[in-house]
Amino acid sequence: MERTPIIAANWKMHKTIPEAVSFTREILNPLDFSGTDVVLCPPFPALWPVAQAASGTPLQVAAQDVYWADQGAFTGEVSPVMLRDAGCTYVVIGHSERRHLFGETDENVNRKVKAALRHGLTPIVCVGETLAERDAGETFKVVEKQLAAALLGLDGEEAAGLVVAYEPVWAIGTGRNAAPEDAQAVNHFVREFVRSRYRPEVAEQVRIQYGGSVTPENAELLLAQPDIDGALVGGASLKVESFRAIVYAAQRL
Ligand code: PGA
């Protein structure tokens, strides 16, 4: 089955509203979307302005996190209803910075995934091992545990629509990407895990990104792997030229 590659720009805590809007205008001029889904993940304040700047184009907008309740006394949190309202169609859930810096748990990731799906947002669920876990030979065990928790209670249709991002923690922001074969091995493992829980079509449909020091230089080799269906790009997504080059790398395959 042909899966549409998905290239997402995770800006993390970067870009003011004017910077985010001018990036959006620049990347669209021109951007060839043929056969690729392209998603920008700005910080919360820039979501609506970026969605406005992208409106009428295929460019999609994602939040970097979400809370699971629709509304209420949850100071500082943002609900899936609000994200839809702000023009989002995707949301990143369980990024390693949320897990490791802000105490995000597997259980909360699952609540957020369900809340996002309930409101028609496509979750981009991040999983990945730390360096200590990799050195201890626990990569697959860690990824399996995170994935099993994230998918808990999801039916096949919901699982098929997900995007999973495999992001080894030691490769994020370090300039040290996973070797394409190693990333492929984990992405394949993710797909096989999905196959073990659902119908085979679900495993064929689910899109699995790689993230961690993706650049225009290494994107093509990573994206050429059979189970790598796209990239979640941090540092190299902050500049229009390098992000555009990664989108085009996906299209050359
Ligand atoms: P990086 O970040 O591309 O800067 O390594 C990726 C991410 O955290 O999603």
Side-chain angles (χ1 to χ4, degrees), residues 96-209:
S96 74
E97 284 147 22
R98 301 289 338 154
R99 291 179 189 265
H100 296 287
L101 301 175
F102 302 103
E104 183 82 281
T105 63
D106 282 340
E107 191 186 28
N108 288 356
V109 167
N110 180 245
R111 287 183 168 148
K112 291 178 177 189
V113 166
K114 287 177 175 158
L117 289 168
R118 206 164 49 238
H119 291 284
L121 291 161
T122 299
I124 300 176
V125 183
C126 303
V127 297
E129 82 288 2
T130 63
L131 187 56
E133 288 162 343
R134 168 156 289 244
D135 288 346
E138 291 177 346
T139 299
F140 294 117
K141 194 174 117 195
V142 169
V143 168
E144 177 167 350
K145 178 174 168 286
Q146 292 173 342
L147 202 57
L151 295 176
L152 202 70
L154 266 57
D155 65 26
E157 198 182 326
E158 291 170 327
L162 285 187
V163 178
V164 177
Y166 167 56
E167 298 206 305
V169 179
W170 48 270
I172 295 178
T174 58
R176 192 184 149 200
N177 63 286
E181 323 65 88
D182 293 342
Q184 161 60 23
V186 181
N187 279 38
H188 183 70
F189 175 81
V190 169
R191 197 175 310 286
E192 291 313 304
F193 177 83
V194 173
R195 199 185 308 279
S196 73
R197 298 280 165 117
Y198 299 97
R199 299 183 312 279
E201 309 86 83
V202 175
E204 292 308 315
Q205 264 173 272
V206 68
R207 292 187 292 176
I208 310 169
Q209 297 175 309

Side-chain angles (χ1 to χ4, degrees), residues 8-12 92 95-97 126 165 167-169 171-177 210-215 231-238:
N10 176 14
W11 289 347
K12 311 191 178 188
V92 177
H95 188 276
S96 74
E97 284 147 22
C126 303
E167 298 206 305
V169 179
I172 295 178
T174 58
R176 192 184 149 200
N177 63 286
Y210 167 79
S213 297
V214 176
T215 63
L232 184 54
V233 188
S237 75
L238 293 172

